[in-house]
Amino acid sequence: MLEFVVPALNVKAILPQAILALTALTVLLVDVFSSQGKKSSSLGYLVVIGVVAAMISTLMINGARESAYSGMVMVDGFSSFITLIVCVVTLLTVLSTINYQQFFEELNCGEYYCLLLFAAVGMSFMGSASNLLMLFLALETMSISIYVLAGFKWHDRKSIESALKYFLLGAFASGFLLFGFALIFGTTGTMDLVKISAFLTAHPEMIHSRMLMGGVALVTVGFGFKVAMFPFHMWTPDVYEGAPTSVTGFMATGVKAAAFAALVRVFFVALGHVQADWTGIMWLLAFLTMTIGNVVALSQTNIKRMLAYSSIAHAGYLLVGFVAGSKQGQAGILFYLMSYAFTNLGAFGVIALLGKKGGEYTELQDFAGLGFKYPLMGLAMGIFMFSMAGIPPMAGFMGKFYLFSSAMKAGFVWLAIFGVINSVISLYYYLRVVVVMYFQEAEQSISMPKPSPAVVVGLVLAAIGVMQMGIFPSYIWDMAQQSVQSMLM
């Protein structure tokens, strides 16, 4: 008689993800048994409680080394930092959504918040996956949820187009990634990241085999799509413009954080032996990604498309830290991802404030004169634009400082110089938003509905995060450095 044995599960290692998943299921149940009239924003506040609980559990296990699922999930400082970023991103997104759903009632449902939370679970697992198979499962959990979220405004053709484009191109990218993983497995005989590194140490003759090089190239393509790296960035403007604004902010920050976490873990833990081969290619891609993103953003008149190209440029800045390859560069990536989460979600939160039943104002000209009409909104948008431009004392400045200085110390002086030049170029389109808000007459009268307390709290938290990381960066910077030092190799 066969005996069924339930494998032991280390709950502590997956506690934040378990809380997020349980919250998602609870929200679905509450939605089913709630009447439409009483539902209001209670679902959103329920999600906020779950995300805060997940954030507290992440801080409680920060620094611990745990594993789950037979070592396929490894908890270390690096994974805890990524989970913390994911929780911050999810929290700010939900707070923004509670206000945004007054314009689009279809977002006020359990399915929306459930997908948001399961996407967060996938993002978090991407940061802690130590096995290529686990990494792929986490990536698909995140991606499938976001494909649906992008098309959640099903009455809007642009939203449907956005979801379809993201799904089709995402499916191709997943195929490239999976094929790359298969080639790496074919070369090394394992999918465990640490064992792949150990195999290449024991068999140096395999390091430059065609199969391994092909695997590295295909994995680069797959991750390149997720982080919007040139030349795999073409989907970004259309998808960002069509998706609900709250979802766009979630995609721009959460997906980028998860994808960069996976990129760092795969390339530095498993493929560190071929670092000399991919560094030159990544140098070129970093330069092209930030340059093309910034140059094309100059001509945009739709603020969501402008932020989409800006997101491409920021992926280029993050690649500067990746090319540096040092612990400082990796810590710089973590710091920048956290600062970018506060900044970008703050900016999208401000955009989501302006709306009307079934529509929103996303043309740059729509913001004309709003700086004096709504001074607090103008102040918040100014803070977020200055931070993205890298103007001190905002978080964006310190983030770029850490990334570019790591590149300088690693000997990539010209890449750091190109990064600074690109930051100067970006000043034009970021400051143009501020100029339009304060120095241009409005062509039409646009009124902002009274914002909900939730979105006000969200914007205040984002602004405090931007200022705190800019003026007192040492706490987060020390935390990022310790997280990288404790990354399991």
Side-chain angles (χ1 to χ4, degrees):
M1 182 178 176
L2 289 175
E3 186 179 354
F4 181 73
V5 179
V6 179
L9 178 61
N10 184 359
V11 178
K12 187 180 176 184
I14 58 164
L15 188 57
Q17 295 87 350
I19 292 173
L20 291 173
L22 284 173
T23 307
L25 298 177
T26 306
V27 166
L28 271 185
L29 284 175
V30 171
D31 185 35
V32 168
F33 293 106
S34 299
S35 62
Q36 187 65 33
K38 293 181 180 177
K39 200 160 45 177
S40 183
S41 54
S42 58
L43 293 177
Y45 289 113
L46 182 60
V47 176
V48 168
I49 293 170
V51 175
V52 171
M55 196 180 294
I56 292 170
S57 69
T58 304
L59 293 172
M60 286 171 64
I61 63 171
N62 187 31
R65 293 195 170 199
E66 304 284 346
S67 67
Y69 302 121
S70 303
M72 293 175 77
V73 171
M74 301 294 286
V75 175
D76 51 22
F78 183 81
S79 67
S80 296
F81 199 99
I82 293 298
T83 303
L84 196 60
I85 294 175
V86 170
C87 288
V88 168
V89 166
T90 310
L91 179 65
L92 294 179
T93 302
V94 173
L95 291 173
S96 173
T97 300
I98 291 172
N99 183 74
Y100 188 66
Q101 66 195 14
Q102 67 177 301
F103 310 126
F104 301 96
E105 291 179 354
E106 55 265 44
L107 271 63
N108 186 19
C109 64
E111 293 90 334
Y112 172 82
Y113 290 110
C114 184
L115 287 166
L116 206 66
L117 287 167
F118 274 115
V121 171
M123 290 170 186
S124 178
F125 272 132
M126 283 180 72
S128 57
S130 63
N131 183 289
L132 295 179
L133 188 58
M134 185 68 201
L135 175 57
F136 186 75
L137 290 173
L139 184 140
E140 287 305 294
T141 304
M142 174 192 76
S143 299
I144 292 170
S145 301
I146 293 183
Y147 296 151
V148 183
L149 285 170
F152 226 83
K153 291 192 298 183
W154 55 79
H155 302 297
D156 186 349
R157 292 174 63 185
K158 280 190 174 181
S159 183
I160 301 299
E161 178 190 346
S162 158
L164 193 59
K165 277 186 179 176
Y166 195 43
F167 169 68
L168 290 175
L169 293 173
F172 277 114
S174 295
F176 279 113
L177 196 65
L178 196 59
F179 197 15
F181 287 169
L183 291 179
I184 293 172
F185 175 75
T187 306
T188 62
T190 178
M191 287 203 169
D192 187 281
L193 299 183
V194 176
K195 289 179 181 175
I196 290 171
S197 176
F199 176 88
L200 294 176
T201 303
H203 303 84
E205 71 279 6
M206 299 301 291
I207 289 176
H208 292 103
S209 66
R210 291 181 181 177
M211 188 180 287
L212 182 66
M213 288 294 109
V216 173
L218 290 173
V219 168
T220 305
V221 172
F223 282 128
F225 174 85
K226 295 298 176 187
V227 303
M229 178 173 68
F230 176 87
F232 315 109
H233 65 287
M234 298 300 290
W235 59 274
T236 315
D238 291 342
V239 174
Y240 278 27
E241 184 185 6
T245 300
S246 54
V247 175
T248 306
F250 185 67
M251 291 167 62
T253 51
V255 174
K256 201 180 291 295
F260 264 101
L263 190 70
V264 167
R265 207 179 268 279
V266 170
F267 276 75
F268 287 104
V269 176
L271 302 174
H273 291 82
V274 290
Q275 184 173 353
D277 297 287
W278 51 255
T279 297
I281 296 170
M282 286 296 185
W283 190 105
L284 183 63
L285 291 175
F287 167 70
L288 290 172
T289 303
M290 58 187 171
T291 304
I292 289 174
N294 279 317
V295 170
V296 181
L298 294 173
S299 60
Q300 300 304 311
T301 56
N302 182 294
I303 196 161
K304 286 175 76 175
R305 291 186 74 86
M306 186 204 83
L307 289 176
Y309 283 105
S310 151
S311 169
I312 296 166
H314 285 282
Y317 299 142
L318 284 160
L319 285 172
V320 172
F322 185 81
V323 170
S326 59
K327 293 292 182 188
Q328 186 184 353
Q330 294 168 21
I333 290 174
L334 289 182
F335 185 94
Y336 201 85
L337 287 171
M338 181 67 91
S339 69
Y340 185 66
F342 282 120
T343 307
N344 206 29
L345 281 165
F348 277 109
V350 172
I351 296 169
L353 286 175
L354 289 177
K356 54 190 176 184
K357 207 69 175 175
E360 53 190 330
Y361 300 99
T362 56
E363 291 299 319
L364 190 56
Q365 200 55 41
D366 294 335
F367 286 74
L370 294 184
F372 289 115
K373 190 175 182 180
Y374 303 109
L376 292 178
M377 189 204 81
L379 175 65
M381 196 61 161
I383 290 173
F384 301 133
M385 289 296 112
F386 287 160
S387 180
M388 277 201 259
I391 296 174
M394 310 299 176
F397 170 77
M398 292 309 303
K400 287 177 182 174
F401 171 77
Y402 290 134
L403 287 175
F404 297 160
S405 61
S406 70
M408 295 276 285
K409 288 180 181 176
F412 299 102
V413 178
W414 277 107
L415 188 59
I417 292 172
F418 287 134
V420 173
I421 292 172
N422 268 284
S423 292
V424 174
I425 293 172
S426 72
L427 281 173
Y428 174 79
Y429 61 84
Y430 287 129
L431 295 185
R432 189 173 55 166
V433 177
V434 179
V435 169
V436 168
M437 283 196 304
Y438 286 99
F439 299 105
Q440 283 195 12
E441 294 288 334
E443 295 178 356
Q444 58 176 330
S445 177
I446 293 177
S447 297
M448 180 178 70
K450 184 182 178 182
S452 69
V455 73
V456 174
V457 170
L459 290 176
V460 169
L461 287 176
I464 290 173
V466 169
M467 298 301 294
Q468 193 275 334
M469 290 185 70
I471 299 172
F472 307 106
S474 57
Y475 179 75
I476 301 294
W477 175 242
D478 290 343
M479 193 175 167
Q481 285 186 307
Q482 290 167 11
S483 299
V484 169
Q485 292 294 340
S486 68
M487 185 164 64
L488 295 174
M489 295 289 190

